[in-house]
Amino acid sequence: MKSKLLLVSLALCAALPLASHAQQRRAAPVPHWYAGIHGGVNDVKDWSADVNFGGPTTAGELRLDRGLHFGLMAGRRTENARFEVEYQHGRMDIDRMTLGGFSQAASGKGSYDALTVNAYRTFEVANRTTAYIGAGIGWGRVKLPTLPTISGCNCFRGVSDDGLVYQLRLGAEYEIQNNQHLLAQYTLLHVPGLGSGGAPSVEYSSKNINIFSIGYRAGF
């Protein structure tokens, strides 16, 4: 009986430092620099436009399918926050265009690029699992291709423009090893409108892009 009590006491003494270390680690993550990558899909659905014939304006629209998205980021993790610089690129497939009462199939690819500075508030929700919510602001560029004529009009010309971008993000990450994380996140990215000159001219509205991605982040 005494030997069993001695063994239990020794086991508890050995476990206490480990438990204390784990508790301290969960309560106060060590600040560190990090870099990461993420990839996934965007969901745009449609993009409205106004076509101007030198006087009257006709409403138009592009219908888009889901496209691929990826991003690179680097920043600093503190006890309850993250601050980073991020570059993102995405592509969109166009499968239909509409002008007034006319609609027809189309084929083309659009793209967007965004460079932002982001800030997140982090929340520990379980052992090794952290949720985060935040926002970012920066500069971006959008490109849309030249599409076939519709009802005899070369209305949807290729356009490219840049401007202010901003985003909101919600995600969670799981620490697979020390300072190495797998993450899943949702991003709402706002990109600027764009337009072409000439007659007829086309003006595309600014757009919110839904993005779902998974990724990896490593500290150093």
Side-chain angles (χ1 to χ4, degrees):
M1 184 66 178
K2 289 183 178 181
S3 61
K4 289 182 178 180
L5 288 174
L6 180 60
L7 288 174
V8 170
S9 299
L10 290 173
L12 288 173
C13 290
L16 281 173
L18 294 175
S20 176
H21 174 72
Q23 185 177 9
Q24 290 175 2
R25 184 170 168 273
R26 288 194 299 269
V30 177
H32 59 269
W33 296 98
Y34 66 85
I37 185 171
H38 64 91
V41 296
N42 57 52
D43 186 13
V44 188
K45 290 189 172 65
D46 54 53
W47 204 317
S48 61
D50 288 321
V51 178
N52 191 312
F53 294 92
T57 298
T58 302
E61 185 179 83
L62 302 182
R63 190 178 73 184
L64 301 103
D65 199 2
R66 291 178 179 174
L68 296 179
H69 175 95
F70 82 89
L72 301 170
M73 65 277 196
R76 178 73 171 171
R77 169 76 155 95
T78 64
E79 182 177 345
N80 296 306
R82 278 170 44 203
F83 305 94
E84 68 184 24
V85 175
E86 179 183 31
Y87 167 73
Q88 298 178 88
H89 173 80
R91 300 186 69 84
M92 305 162 289
D93 293 323
I94 301 167
D95 60 20
R96 195 163 195 85
M97 57 182 179
T98 300
L99 179 65
F102 299 93
S103 182
Q104 68 182 53
S107 179
K109 290 185 180 295
S111 66
Y112 57 86
D113 297 272
L115 181 65
T116 59
V117 288
N118 308 325
Y120 309 102
R121 178 70 166 86
T122 60
F123 308 88
E124 185 174 2
V125 295
N127 186 24
R128 292 183 175 271
T129 303
T130 302
Y132 54 92
I133 184 171
I137 190 169
W139 201 255
R141 173 171 286 272
V142 182
K143 297 180 181 179
L144 292 174
T146 297
L147 297 174
T149 60
I150 179 171
S151 187
C153 175
N154 184 22
C155 294
F156 295 99
R157 301 177 182 180
V159 289
S160 175
D161 209 347
D162 54 25
L164 182 71
V165 298
Y166 54 87
Q167 65 182 7
L168 300 175
R169 177 170 288 161
L170 176 66
E173 61 182 16
Y174 178 77
E175 187 177 30
I176 53 176
Q177 295 183 35
N178 187 33
N179 284 341
Q180 297 186 49
H181 301 80
L182 295 178
L183 60 90
Q185 60 189 18
Y186 163 74
T187 304
L188 180 65
L189 175 66
H190 182 88
V191 297
L194 62 166
S196 70
S201 64
V202 60
E203 295 288 335
Y204 294 94
S205 62
S206 59
K207 189 67 178 173
N208 291 326
I209 301 176
N210 297 297
I211 302 164
F212 305 89
S213 60
I214 58 175
Y216 170 79
R217 183 176 71 82
F220 51 88

